[in-house]
Amino acid sequence: MSPAVFHFLWEVNFGAVKEGDSVRTFGRLVSYQPEESKATLSIQHAARQHQVVVQTTFVEPFDPIIGAQYIVLGEIEKAEGGDGVMVHARVLNCVDGVNLALLQRGVNEQRSYFRERGESKGDAATAAQQRAPL
Amino acid sequence: MQPEAKDPEEDSVWEEPPSMLWGLDPMFNAFTRLYVKDILQMRESCQVSGIYFYNSHPIFKVDVLGTVVYKREREDFFCYGVDDGTGVINSLCWKDEPWREQGDPATPGARSFGSSAREDFNPANELKKLRQAQHSSSHLEIGELLRVRGPVKTSRQQREIMASTYYKVSDPVMAVQISWMMEVPQLYRQCYDKPFHLDSSAQNPNIQGGSASYLLGRATRILKDFLKEKEVTRFRPYDVQDLLQPLVSRQPQKTAAEQVHIQWEEQEPEAGPSSGPPTSFKQLRELLQKSLQILQDEGLVFRKVKCQDEVYHVTERDKDLLMAIRDILREDCRREKYAEKGCHILHILSSVRQRYSRNVSKAALELVLKALECNSDIISTSDSHYTIL
């Protein structure tokens, strides 16, 4: 099972995550179509609205609060119609009230640490060589 | 089967420290907050199975916060798959005995609400509520947040955490996860990524002196006691050098070649053919320099004039310095500016540096001011202001 790495919605849309890989992302619930089991999450970034479609078959029934912040964990799949990607959710949690700026900072803090570590691979590599098969 | 390390050269360069010394690493006894990715990749010790190494630190138990992505329930335990964003790991969570006999805890809940409205304290109901709380804290569904702490075990070629503590974390606005994301990189930078250094003296249990910092502590102690007992006012390094000789002469040889040459039972390093005076003299000089630096940093001694001739003045016994400070305070406290509040310590420091010596440190000045105050020559009017009496 691949880990669900945090990505921002705009990154998901730009293909930052490979098809089949797990991802964790967040956004505001703008619409929900229960008949098709599809929800749309949206987030504002750099003066643009970014949206992604979420397949909710595995997480139904859930209580949709339109306008609330949600966090989704799931696999990337090709969107129907072949245009772009969608997330097949395994987890869909309402996190309304989350401090978005702080969350973004948290994600970036973690990323910058991994970048730093990647640069000085020599030191970290001493212990990080063996892989346990899952 | 654990595959061999990708880079075999890395293995030969780094050797595990002996297991007896692992307790010296504070991380060994802590629940380390490693990323799951690192927990899965850390190498297992060759000496003791069940202990792992991250960046030369021996790791035994970990602390993970993550989302439950799969769940397997058996009669005695849960097996939760925990995903913290960097990896997914199995977590074996044993069920607690007491509430295992409970039936469906949902129904009693409705009843106990009614009874809690009454004034009386009903132990049976409270116990029921406690059991429900325990139950809800250990039964998690996919998507909920789990905190797990416990040792890492490799079972059936998979690494898993044998939970000693686990509980569901209620995190409606992600505050807990965000603060975890902010804290863990700091922990890595400050602790986990710093390699575990073992002094060569610590690795050799025959040394009576122990590690270098212990030796340094003893050296400064010896010097301080000497300066106090003999009421020394000034000294040069070679005056006190011999005091530290006994600390240095107990160190045995460090190289194997030198060890081979030692035939004598007395283990006299100076007598060994390949060591001789130069090695121990160098150690002595180094130890002396480090100790003197510590004494300077603490303000106990200072060098009035920095020149070729290394003369150290013992701060508290330097009469000229005492008089200089008293004069400064006497003159300045007559001025209107300082009459009421007294002089700030930094003002005194700059005056002393102008009049007496540029090398008086703040630490040294504080010592003298304290001595003068104890002697009732001056008095402090506030935390950092002094005036003459």
Side-chain angles (χ1 to χ4, degrees):
Chain A
M1 196 168 256
S2 80
V5 183
F6 246 114
H7 281 281
F8 301 115
L9 269 183
W10 56 90
E11 295 172 338
V12 171
N13 274 335
F14 284 132
V17 187
K18 274 198 332 253
E19 202 181 315
D21 268 359
S22 303
V23 73
R24 201 186 301 230
T25 190
F26 55 92
R28 207 166 38 90
L29 183 66
V30 290
S31 72
Y32 175 49
Q33 287 120 26
E35 335 75 59
E36 292 179 49
S37 292
K38 278 200 170 52
T40 313
L41 296 183
S42 156
I43 194 168
Q44 172 105 355
H45 174 74
R48 276 190 60 187
Q49 279 291 337
H50 297 266
Q51 290 190 346
V52 92
V53 172
V54 175
Q55 187 80 38
T56 55
T57 30
F58 296 155
V59 295
E60 274 157 356
F62 77 102
D63 185 18
I65 306 173
I66 304 287
Q69 291 289 339
Y70 276 80
I71 187 163
V72 64
L73 191 159
E75 277 68 53
I76 293 290
E77 287 177 0
K78 266 208 164 52
E80 281 168 21
D83 191 25
V85 296
M86 73 175 186
V87 180
H88 202 143
R90 283 185 282 128
V91 172
L92 186 61
N93 287 335
C94 179
V95 290
D96 204 37
V98 65
N99 184 334
L100 281 175
L102 209 58
L103 176 58
Q104 214 164 310
R105 240 182 84 189
V107 175
N108 286 329
E109 174 75 21
Q110 211 163 284
R111 281 180 181 176
S112 77
Y113 167 71
F114 279 116
R115 251 196 319 268
E116 268 172 37
R117 197 157 89 162
E119 280 160 16
S120 58
K121 202 63 184 118
D123 300 331
T126 316
Q129 290 307 324
Q130 287 187 330
R131 279 184 174 280
L134 271 178
Chain B
M1 188 76 77
Q2 303 279 355
E4 280 306 315
K6 276 191 195 147
D7 188 356
E9 283 185 30
E10 220 98 67
D11 273 3
S12 57
V13 166
W14 182 76
E15 261 179 43
E16 281 179 28
S19 57
M20 207 166 59
L21 301 174
W22 289 345
L24 289 176
D25 188 351
M27 268 175 67
F28 184 57
N29 291 314
F31 288 94
T32 41
R33 293 193 186 180
L34 292 175
Y35 288 118
V36 171
K37 179 164 102 157
D38 293 330
I39 298 175
L40 294 173
Q41 288 177 355
M42 55 190 186
R43 134 220 306 235
E44 190 161 4
S45 161
C46 327
Q47 296 172 65
V48 182
S49 78
I51 308 293
Y52 304 83
F53 278 91
Y54 174 79
N55 193 21
S56 78
H57 289 283
I59 306 283
F60 157 52
K61 43 201 190 181
V62 293
D63 187 353
V64 171
L65 178 78
T67 311
V68 173
V69 290
Y70 61 80
K71 166 183 171 183
R72 279 197 296 271
E73 183 172 356
R74 300 278 178 274
E75 202 190 315
D76 297 342
F77 63 87
F78 292 106
C79 187
Y80 291 120
V82 183
D83 180 344
D84 73 341
T86 65
V88 183
I89 191 167
N90 264 343
S91 148
L92 203 73
C93 304
W94 293 96
K95 291 186 185 173
D96 239 346
E97 267 294 343
W99 58 261
R100 237 197 282 167
E101 286 106 43
Q102 282 284 316
D104 181 9
T107 345
R111 265 186 280 143
S112 75
F113 256 113
S115 54
S116 68
R118 291 203 314 245
E119 292 293 326
D120 328 337
F121 173 76
N122 189 339
N125 273 332
E126 295 302 314
L127 199 60
K128 226 176 267 178
K129 276 195 258 181
L130 177 64
R131 287 208 186 114
Q132 281 159 35
Q134 279 179 326
H135 183 272
S136 65
S137 150
S138 48
H139 271 67
L140 281 92
E141 297 305 322
I142 293 183
E144 292 182 324
L145 198 62
L146 177 68
R147 175 91 182 266
V148 187
R149 284 155 72 96
V152 178
K153 293 261 143 77
T154 307
S155 133
R156 275 178 260 162
Q157 293 145 40
Q158 271 193 39
R159 292 233 173 126
E160 46 184 44
I161 302 174
M162 288 271 290
S164 62
T165 309
Y166 68 97
Y167 57 90
K168 173 158 72 179
V169 179
S170 161
D171 197 19
V173 294
M174 291 189 71
V176 178
Q177 290 172 75
I178 293 173
S179 62
W180 192 277
M181 278 196 272
M182 302 289 284
E183 280 171 9
V184 174
Q186 288 305 323
L187 280 172
Y188 268 86
R189 287 186 192 114
Q190 288 167 13
C191 309
Y192 308 156
D193 285 342
K194 293 202 170 134
F196 176 34
H197 276 309
L198 271 177
D199 279 306
S200 51
S201 56
Q203 295 207 353
N204 187 342
N206 291 326
I207 295 189
Q208 290 184 36
S211 71
S213 58
Y214 172 69
L215 213 57
L216 195 55
R218 286 191 65 191
T220 43
R221 183 83 263 151
I222 288 175
L223 289 177
K224 282 181 192 173
D225 291 342
F226 174 76
L227 295 175
K228 192 166 176 188
E229 277 171 32
K230 303 290 178 192
E231 295 185 8
V232 178
T233 45
R234 288 187 306 193
F235 65 94
R236 289 187 175 80
Y238 65 69
D239 294 330
V240 296
Q241 197 167 278
D242 295 333
L243 293 169
L244 304 183
Q245 184 69 48
L247 288 176
V248 170
S249 64
R250 277 194 226 142
Q251 304 241 2
Q253 308 316 302
K254 293 200 179 169
T255 71
E258 287 169 17
Q259 270 173 344
V260 160
H261 283 280
I262 300 284
Q263 311 280 336
W264 299 268
E265 307 213 28
E266 300 92 30
Q267 288 266 334
E268 284 280 351
E270 288 93 327
S274 52
S275 68
T279 327
S280 57
F281 180 73
K282 196 161 150 256
Q283 284 169 18
L284 184 62
R285 268 310 290 184
E286 255 178 55
L287 188 60
L288 183 62
Q289 267 168 8
K290 286 196 188 139
S291 316
L292 286 174
Q293 187 56 52
I294 290 185
L295 292 180
Q296 276 188 87
D297 293 340
E298 287 181 10
L300 274 145
V301 304
F302 70 100
R303 284 175 67 183
K304 184 168 171 184
V305 180
K306 287 221 166 109
C307 63
Q308 288 275 31
D309 187 18
E310 262 183 270
V311 179
Y312 289 87
H313 291 248
V314 178
T315 319
E316 284 174 322
R317 262 182 226 106
D318 193 344
K319 295 273 184 299
D320 296 331
L321 179 59
L322 256 77
M323 270 183 8
I325 294 176
R326 264 215 303 265
D327 291 342
I328 290 169
L329 278 173
R330 196 179 300 129
E331 289 164 22
D332 285 349
C333 288
R334 278 202 209 120
R335 291 159 62 185
E336 241 179 73
K337 190 174 171 190
Y338 302 113
E340 212 177 291
K341 205 168 175 198
C343 299
H344 193 271
I345 189 173
L346 293 173
H347 166 80
I348 305 174
L349 185 63
S350 70
S351 308
V352 168
R353 283 182 175 161
Q354 279 171 14
R355 284 196 199 193
Y356 186 70
S357 161
R358 263 182 319 180
N359 305 319
V360 176
S361 67
K362 186 160 177 260
L365 180 63
E366 279 171 347
L367 269 178
V368 181
L369 288 170
K370 202 162 107 181
L372 284 170
E373 198 175 2
C374 287
N375 214 18
S376 294
D377 289 319
I378 66 175
I379 192 164
S380 58
T381 54
S382 90
D383 200 22
S384 38
H385 288 80
Y386 295 86
T387 186
I388 196 86
L389 269 174

mmCIF file of all heavy atoms in Angstrom, chain A residues 100-126:
data_model
loop_
_atom_site.group_PDB
_atom_site.id
_atom_site.type_symbol
_atom_site.label_atom_id
_atom_site.label_comp_id
_atom_site.label_asym_id
_atom_site.label_seq_id
_atom_site.Cartn_x
_atom_site.Cartn_y
_atom_site.Cartn_z
ATOM 1 N N LEU A 100 -6.169 27.005 7.332
ATOM 2 C CA LEU A 100 -5.592 26.610 6.039
ATOM 3 C C LEU A 100 -4.149 27.071 5.893
ATOM 4 O O LEU A 100 -3.302 26.345 5.371
ATOM 5 C CB LEU A 100 -6.427 27.179 4.889
ATOM 6 C CG LEU A 100 -7.714 26.421 4.571
ATOM 7 C CD1 LEU A 100 -8.491 27.152 3.497
ATOM 8 C CD2 LEU A 100 -7.403 25.014 4.116
ATOM 9 N N ALA A 101 -3.903 28.305 6.347
ATOM 10 C CA ALA A 101 -2.547 28.837 6.188
ATOM 11 C C ALA A 101 -1.552 28.001 6.981
ATOM 12 O O ALA A 101 -0.461 27.679 6.502
ATOM 13 C CB ALA A 101 -2.502 30.287 6.649
ATOM 14 N N LEU A 102 -1.977 27.613 8.192
ATOM 15 C CA LEU A 102 -1.090 26.829 9.044
ATOM 16 C C LEU A 102 -0.884 25.437 8.472
ATOM 17 O O LEU A 102 0.214 24.876 8.523
ATOM 18 C CB LEU A 102 -1.697 26.748 10.442
ATOM 19 C CG LEU A 102 -0.725 26.601 11.600
ATOM 20 C CD1 LEU A 102 0.254 27.757 11.603
ATOM 21 C CD2 LEU A 102 -1.477 26.577 12.912
ATOM 22 N N LEU A 103 -1.952 24.890 7.898
ATOM 23 C CA LEU A 103 -1.848 23.558 7.297
ATOM 24 C C LEU A 103 -0.860 23.589 6.138
ATOM 25 O O LEU A 103 -0.013 22.725 5.981
ATOM 26 C CB LEU A 103 -3.227 23.089 6.827
ATOM 27 C CG LEU A 103 -3.304 21.758 6.083
ATOM 28 C CD1 LEU A 103 -2.735 20.635 6.932
ATOM 29 C CD2 LEU A 103 -4.736 21.430 5.705
ATOM 30 N N GLN A 104 -0.966 24.648 5.355
ATOM 31 C CA GLN A 104 -0.060 24.788 4.230
ATOM 32 C C GLN A 104 1.386 24.898 4.722
ATOM 33 O O GLN A 104 2.298 24.304 4.158
ATOM 34 C CB GLN A 104 -0.438 26.043 3.440
ATOM 35 C CG GLN A 104 -0.203 25.905 1.955
ATOM 36 C CD GLN A 104 -0.943 26.973 1.179
ATOM 37 O OE1 GLN A 104 -2.137 27.185 1.374
ATOM 38 N NE2 GLN A 104 -0.232 27.638 0.306
ATOM 39 N N ARG A 105 1.543 25.673 5.814
ATOM 40 C CA ARG A 105 2.883 25.824 6.385
ATOM 41 C C ARG A 105 3.422 24.489 6.860
ATOM 42 O O ARG A 105 4.593 24.162 6.664
ATOM 43 C CB ARG A 105 2.821 26.787 7.567
ATOM 44 C CG ARG A 105 3.692 28.008 7.370
ATOM 45 C CD ARG A 105 3.643 28.908 8.554
ATOM 46 N NE ARG A 105 4.585 28.478 9.575
ATOM 47 C CZ ARG A 105 4.633 28.981 10.804
ATOM 48 N NH1 ARG A 105 3.775 29.913 11.144
ATOM 49 N NH2 ARG A 105 5.496 28.551 11.674
ATOM 50 N N GLY A 106 2.530 23.706 7.488
ATOM 51 C CA GLY A 106 2.954 22.397 7.994
ATOM 52 C C GLY A 106 3.447 21.506 6.871
ATOM 53 O O GLY A 106 4.505 20.870 6.962
ATOM 54 N N VAL A 107 2.672 21.481 5.773
ATOM 55 C CA VAL A 107 3.061 20.643 4.637
ATOM 56 C C VAL A 107 4.396 21.109 4.065
ATOM 57 O O VAL A 107 5.282 20.314 3.754
ATOM 58 C CB VAL A 107 1.962 20.675 3.551
ATOM 59 C CG1 VAL A 107 2.411 19.911 2.321
ATOM 60 C CG2 VAL A 107 0.670 20.086 4.084
ATOM 61 N N ASN A 108 4.542 22.433 3.932
ATOM 62 C CA ASN A 108 5.782 22.963 3.359
ATOM 63 C C ASN A 108 6.974 22.731 4.270
ATOM 64 O O ASN A 108 8.086 22.480 3.808
ATOM 65 C CB ASN A 108 5.628 24.460 3.068
ATOM 66 C CG ASN A 108 4.754 24.683 1.849
ATOM 67 O OD1 ASN A 108 4.735 23.868 0.936
ATOM 68 N ND2 ASN A 108 4.015 25.784 1.831
ATOM 69 N N GLU A 109 6.741 22.805 5.569
ATOM 70 C CA GLU A 109 7.808 22.549 6.541
ATOM 71 C C GLU A 109 8.333 21.130 6.376
ATOM 72 O O GLU A 109 9.534 20.890 6.313
ATOM 73 C CB GLU A 109 7.234 22.752 7.953
ATOM 74 C CG GLU A 109 8.156 22.386 9.076
ATOM 75 C CD GLU A 109 9.250 23.398 9.311
ATOM 76 O OE1 GLU A 109 9.082 24.561 8.897
ATOM 77 O OE2 GLU A 109 10.286 23.020 9.884
ATOM 78 N N GLN A 110 7.393 20.192 6.248
ATOM 79 C CA GLN A 110 7.785 18.800 6.079
ATOM 80 C C GLN A 110 8.541 18.617 4.776
ATOM 81 O O GLN A 110 9.548 17.925 4.700
ATOM 82 C CB GLN A 110 6.522 17.942 6.084
ATOM 83 C CG GLN A 110 6.747 16.571 6.648
ATOM 84 C CD GLN A 110 5.446 15.893 7.014
ATOM 85 O OE1 GLN A 110 4.852 16.217 8.024
ATOM 86 N NE2 GLN A 110 5.006 14.977 6.205
ATOM 87 N N ARG A 111 8.048 19.272 3.727
ATOM 88 C CA ARG A 111 8.703 19.128 2.423
ATOM 89 C C ARG A 111 10.106 19.703 2.427
ATOM 90 O O ARG A 111 11.031 19.114 1.869
ATOM 91 C CB ARG A 111 7.899 19.855 1.354
ATOM 92 C CG ARG A 111 6.703 19.089 0.903
ATOM 93 C CD ARG A 111 5.984 19.867 -0.147
ATOM 94 N NE ARG A 111 4.804 19.133 -0.579
ATOM 95 C CZ ARG A 111 3.939 19.608 -1.442
ATOM 96 N NH1 ARG A 111 4.110 20.797 -1.954
ATOM 97 N NH2 ARG A 111 2.892 18.879 -1.775
ATOM 98 N N SER A 112 10.259 20.863 3.064
ATOM 99 C CA SER A 112 11.586 21.472 3.035
ATOM 100 C C SER A 112 12.558 20.616 3.834
ATOM 101 O O SER A 112 13.734 20.505 3.478
ATOM 102 C CB SER A 112 11.556 22.906 3.546
ATOM 103 O OG SER A 112 11.485 22.931 4.934
ATOM 104 N N TYR A 113 12.059 19.933 4.873
ATOM 105 C CA TYR A 113 12.955 19.039 5.602
ATOM 106 C C TYR A 113 13.405 17.896 4.712
ATOM 107 O O TYR A 113 14.586 17.545 4.674
ATOM 108 C CB TYR A 113 12.291 18.499 6.881
ATOM 109 C CG TYR A 113 13.076 17.348 7.443
ATOM 110 C CD1 TYR A 113 14.315 17.566 8.030
ATOM 111 C CD2 TYR A 113 12.636 16.045 7.309
ATOM 112 C CE1 TYR A 113 15.088 16.517 8.472
ATOM 113 C CE2 TYR A 113 13.400 14.990 7.754
ATOM 114 C CZ TYR A 113 14.621 15.222 8.332
ATOM 115 O OH TYR A 113 15.389 14.180 8.767
ATOM 116 N N PHE A 114 12.469 17.309 3.979
ATOM 117 C CA PHE A 114 12.857 16.192 3.117
ATOM 118 C C PHE A 114 13.786 16.631 2.000
ATOM 119 O O PHE A 114 14.674 15.896 1.578
ATOM 120 C CB PHE A 114 11.624 15.488 2.541
ATOM 121 C CG PHE A 114 11.002 14.511 3.501
ATOM 122 C CD1 PHE A 114 9.717 14.699 3.988
ATOM 123 C CD2 PHE A 114 11.717 13.411 3.948
ATOM 124 C CE1 PHE A 114 9.165 13.804 4.886
ATOM 125 C CE2 PHE A 114 11.171 12.515 4.847
ATOM 126 C CZ PHE A 114 9.893 12.717 5.319
ATOM 127 N N ARG A 115 13.601 17.874 1.530
ATOM 128 C CA ARG A 115 14.493 18.392 0.497
ATOM 129 C C ARG A 115 15.900 18.520 1.049
ATOM 130 O O ARG A 115 16.865 18.124 0.431
ATOM 131 C CB ARG A 115 14.009 19.757 0.002
ATOM 132 C CG ARG A 115 13.435 19.728 -1.393
ATOM 133 C CD ARG A 115 13.329 21.105 -2.002
ATOM 134 N NE ARG A 115 12.868 22.122 -1.078
ATOM 135 C CZ ARG A 115 11.585 22.458 -0.920
ATOM 136 N NH1 ARG A 115 10.658 21.872 -1.625
ATOM 137 N NH2 ARG A 115 11.243 23.404 -0.063
ATOM 138 N N GLU A 116 15.977 19.115 2.272
ATOM 139 C CA GLU A 116 17.286 19.271 2.931
ATOM 140 C C GLU A 116 17.958 17.928 3.044
ATOM 141 O O GLU A 116 19.146 17.776 2.831
ATOM 142 C CB GLU A 116 17.103 19.738 4.378
ATOM 143 C CG GLU A 116 17.112 21.199 4.613
ATOM 144 C CD GLU A 116 16.717 21.469 6.070
ATOM 145 O OE1 GLU A 116 17.107 20.693 6.966
ATOM 146 O OE2 GLU A 116 15.992 22.441 6.258
ATOM 147 N N ARG A 117 17.180 16.954 3.449
ATOM 148 C CA ARG A 117 17.745 15.624 3.693
ATOM 149 C C ARG A 117 18.186 14.995 2.395
ATOM 150 O O ARG A 117 19.205 14.341 2.324
ATOM 151 C CB ARG A 117 16.691 14.747 4.357
ATOM 152 C CG ARG A 117 17.291 13.550 4.986
ATOM 153 C CD ARG A 117 16.388 13.044 6.041
ATOM 154 N NE ARG A 117 15.436 12.107 5.498
ATOM 155 C CZ ARG A 117 14.744 11.254 6.238
ATOM 156 N NH1 ARG A 117 14.913 11.254 7.530
ATOM 157 N NH2 ARG A 117 13.885 10.446 5.704
ATOM 158 N N GLY A 118 17.424 15.220 1.363
ATOM 159 C CA GLY A 118 17.769 14.653 0.069
ATOM 160 C C GLY A 118 19.090 15.168 -0.424
ATOM 161 O O GLY A 118 19.852 14.457 -1.057
ATOM 162 N N GLU A 119 19.409 16.446 -0.027
ATOM 163 C CA GLU A 119 20.650 17.043 -0.494
ATOM 164 C C GLU A 119 21.837 16.450 0.216
ATOM 165 O O GLU A 119 22.888 16.268 -0.359
ATOM 166 C CB GLU A 119 20.632 18.559 -0.246
ATOM 167 C CG GLU A 119 19.833 19.272 -1.296
ATOM 168 C CD GLU A 119 19.408 20.645 -0.805
ATOM 169 O OE1 GLU A 119 19.986 21.125 0.193
ATOM 170 O OE2 GLU A 119 18.528 21.216 -1.426
ATOM 171 N N SER A 120 21.660 16.186 1.516
ATOM 172 C CA SER A 120 22.793 15.614 2.241
ATOM 173 C C SER A 120 22.572 14.132 2.392
ATOM 174 O O SER A 120 22.557 13.600 3.477
ATOM 175 C CB SER A 120 22.936 16.281 3.599
ATOM 176 O OG SER A 120 21.743 16.125 4.328
ATOM 177 N N LYS A 121 22.367 13.472 1.306
ATOM 178 C CA LYS A 121 22.000 12.046 1.332
ATOM 179 C C LYS A 121 23.089 11.205 1.987
ATOM 180 O O LYS A 121 22.834 10.190 2.573
ATOM 181 C CB LYS A 121 21.779 11.582 -0.103
ATOM 182 C CG LYS A 121 20.916 10.357 -0.251
ATOM 183 C CD LYS A 121 19.494 10.574 0.255
ATOM 184 C CE LYS A 121 18.712 9.270 0.157
ATOM 185 N NZ LYS A 121 18.239 8.746 1.346
ATOM 186 N N GLY A 122 24.313 11.676 1.882
ATOM 187 C CA GLY A 122 25.426 10.888 2.391
ATOM 188 C C GLY A 122 25.294 10.525 3.853
ATOM 189 O O GLY A 122 25.514 9.392 4.249
ATOM 190 N N ASP A 123 24.881 11.502 4.686
ATOM 191 C CA ASP A 123 24.802 11.219 6.120
ATOM 192 C C ASP A 123 23.635 10.321 6.434
ATOM 193 O O ASP A 123 23.744 9.385 7.195
ATOM 194 C CB ASP A 123 24.614 12.531 6.899
ATOM 195 C CG ASP A 123 25.786 13.455 6.647
ATOM 196 O OD1 ASP A 123 26.880 12.935 6.384
ATOM 197 O OD2 ASP A 123 25.584 14.675 6.690
ATOM 198 N N ALA A 124 22.471 10.639 5.821
ATOM 199 C CA ALA A 124 21.258 9.886 6.161
ATOM 200 C C ALA A 124 21.332 8.477 5.608
ATOM 201 O O ALA A 124 20.720 7.564 6.121
ATOM 202 C CB ALA A 124 20.042 10.602 5.610
ATOM 203 N N ALA A 125 22.112 8.302 4.559
ATOM 204 C CA ALA A 125 22.129 6.998 3.903
ATOM 205 C C ALA A 125 22.743 5.915 4.776
ATOM 206 O O ALA A 125 22.519 4.749 4.568
ATOM 207 C CB ALA A 125 22.905 7.107 2.596
ATOM 208 N N THR A 126 23.481 6.297 5.777
ATOM 209 C CA THR A 126 24.129 5.296 6.630
ATOM 210 C C THR A 126 23.153 4.264 7.156
ATOM 211 O O THR A 126 23.426 3.092 7.177
ATOM 212 C CB THR A 126 24.768 5.986 7.857
ATOM 213 O OG1 THR A 126 25.439 7.150 7.432
ATOM 214 C CG2 THR A 126 25.738 5.033 8.530
#
